[in-house]
Amino acid sequence: MSRYEIAFSGQLVPGAQLELVKANMAKLFQADAQRIAQLFSGRRIVIKNNLDAAAAEKYRSTLERAGARVEVIDMDVPIEEVELAPPPPAEPAPAAPAAPAAAAASAGRLQVAPRDEYMAAFSEVDAPDFGIAPVGADLQDAKPDAEAPRVDLSQFSLAPVGSDMGQAKADAAAPPPDTSHLKLQE
């Protein structure tokens, strides 16, 4: 039994007005303007999936009456099997490497035997041999310790213990207000 999905990408049926279709879709899906704007963003949005043929046709006809052109896609599309190429025959390693290969290896360059025809195109690429650091190794280059700045402090001196260092004096408290003219009545 085939399963289908309904997808919408913002296309309208010929002769439909955009504002009218948006209003119809808002009424159908009981959605606010923001969700309807997402539907009409131009991206392909799956509205419903896992439908049987009758339900998919019902959705398609209802949405086309509302003015929206939708795609009904079969979800049970058979997957095409691809035959893989056989692995290349194992070649014995040469007993003595050629002189250019030995020179490249001695200069810290990686010499790789191609695994198939595609990789054989890259066998002559001159690439550095980047190795893998052991576990726990520091991968950052060592930096020299920072030198302390040279500051001349000879112009400064220390004051004796208990001396006034020039702190601001607290203002004297204001005199109390004159209350002699106030009287209490009984």
Side-chain angles (χ1 to χ4, degrees), residues 103-184:
S106 65
R109 298 297 184 188
L110 182 62
Q111 186 67 27
V112 178
R115 68 172 185 255
D116 56 18
E117 292 176 10
Y118 176 76
M119 293 306 291
F122 300 102
S123 64
E124 299 301 320
V125 174
D126 187 23
D129 184 12
F130 292 118
I132 298 176
V135 175
D138 189 7
L139 299 179
Q140 187 173 6
D141 295 335
K143 292 183 179 178
D145 292 335
E147 185 177 322
R150 296 181 184 167
V151 181
D152 181 22
L153 301 176
S154 63
Q155 63 194 12
F156 298 109
S157 63
L158 293 176
V161 175
S163 63
D164 184 13
M165 297 296 294
Q167 290 95 346
K169 301 283 184 201
D171 291 339
D178 181 25
T179 58
S180 61
H181 64 282
L182 298 177
K183 295 181 184 176
L184 289 176

Side-chain angles (χ1 to χ4, degrees), residues 44-138:
R44 182 180 178 274
I45 298 174
V46 175
I47 294 175
K48 188 77 174 172
N49 60 9
N50 277 337
L51 296 171
D52 60 2
E57 179 57 28
K58 184 177 177 183
Y59 267 88
R60 187 198 60 76
S61 65
T62 303
L63 289 169
E64 282 190 0
R65 275 188 308 215
R69 186 184 320 161
V70 295
E71 299 174 78
V72 178
I73 300 161
D74 187 3
M75 294 174 61
D76 297 332
V77 176
I79 299 173
E80 180 180 334
E81 293 190 25
V82 178
E83 185 177 330
L84 300 175
E91 297 178 16
S106 65
R109 298 297 184 188
L110 182 62
Q111 186 67 27
V112 178
R115 68 172 185 255
D116 56 18
E117 292 176 10
Y118 176 76
M119 293 306 291
F122 300 102
S123 64
E124 299 301 320
V125 174
D126 187 23
D129 184 12
F130 292 118
I132 298 176
V135 175
D138 189 7

